[in-house]
Amino acid sequence: MSQPKPRSGSSIVITIVAAVMAVVGLYTIGLALNGNLDPTIQILYFTIAVLAFTFVVLSFTRMRRGVRIGAFTPPKVLSVVKCGQCSFKQIKNFALGDFVFKTLGKCTQCTTGDLSINGIYTEGSPKK
Ligand SMILES: [Zn+2]
């Protein structure tokens, strides 16, 4: 099983940008709280601050989600192939387009029966 490598490179860039945005947000809030400013400029600074903080929050939530996806290994999907004539049974990896009762051609064992997908299941987590 190969674990997907976390994309640490982009995470570092996002962290740096988020840190810059946080500083910008704090700075603009500081400017906005300066009572001597024109109210429209105060609103402008507040807007910039809110946008900066929104970016910080979004980038961190996206990063956390990315980590979760990186640690998550999708369950293995398997298709059960059975022969209609003999007792031949095979379990193969699920392929796109597989569905239950799909025929896959002649049985390799008895050469008369038709092989068809009998079931599709996930090789789930060990917990039962
Ligand atoms: Zn067969």
Side-chain angles (χ1 to χ4, degrees), residues 83 85-88 107 109-111 113:
C83 172
Q85 296 292 316
C86 67
S87 60
F88 181 74
C107 175
Q109 209 158 66
C110 63
T111 66

Side-chain angles (χ1 to χ4, degrees), residues 78-124:
L78 300 165
S79 302
V80 184
V81 180
K82 271 186 181 174
C83 172
Q85 296 292 316
C86 67
S87 60
F88 181 74
K89 184 185 170 188
Q90 189 190 23
I91 291 166
K92 69 176 192 75
N93 284 322
F94 174 81
L96 270 180
D98 276 7
F99 56 91
V100 179
F101 304 126
K102 180 189 180 186
T103 51
L104 297 169
K106 292 291 176 198
C107 175
T108 51
Q109 209 158 66
C110 63
T111 66
T112 53
D114 284 317
L115 284 177
S116 65
I117 292 171
N118 194 258
I120 291 164
Y121 69 96
T122 54
E123 195 178 55

Side-chain angles (χ1 to χ4, degrees), residues 9-114:
S10 60
S11 296
I12 289 167
V13 173
I14 290 169
T15 310
I16 291 166
V17 175
V20 170
M21 290 303 252
V23 170
V24 168
L26 286 172
Y27 181 68
T28 47
I29 275 199
L31 288 176
L33 291 176
N34 187 340
N36 300 325
L37 282 171
D38 195 290
T40 46
I41 299 207
Q42 276 186 313
I43 288 164
L44 181 74
Y45 281 143
F46 260 121
T47 311
I48 292 167
V50 166
L51 286 176
F53 282 126
T54 307
F55 178 84
V56 173
V57 170
L58 280 180
S59 58
F60 275 112
T61 49
R62 200 186 312 153
M63 241 165 34
R64 221 183 305 143
R65 207 182 304 150
V67 169
R68 213 189 302 149
I69 288 166
F72 174 76
T73 44
K76 203 175 178 183
V77 183
L78 300 165
S79 302
V80 184
V81 180
K82 271 186 181 174
C83 172
Q85 296 292 316
C86 67
S87 60
F88 181 74
K89 184 185 170 188
Q90 189 190 23
I91 291 166
K92 69 176 192 75
N93 284 322
F94 174 81
L96 270 180
D98 276 7
F99 56 91
V100 179
F101 304 126
K102 180 189 180 186
T103 51
L104 297 169
K106 292 291 176 198
C107 175
T108 51
Q109 209 158 66
C110 63
T111 66
T112 53
D114 284 317

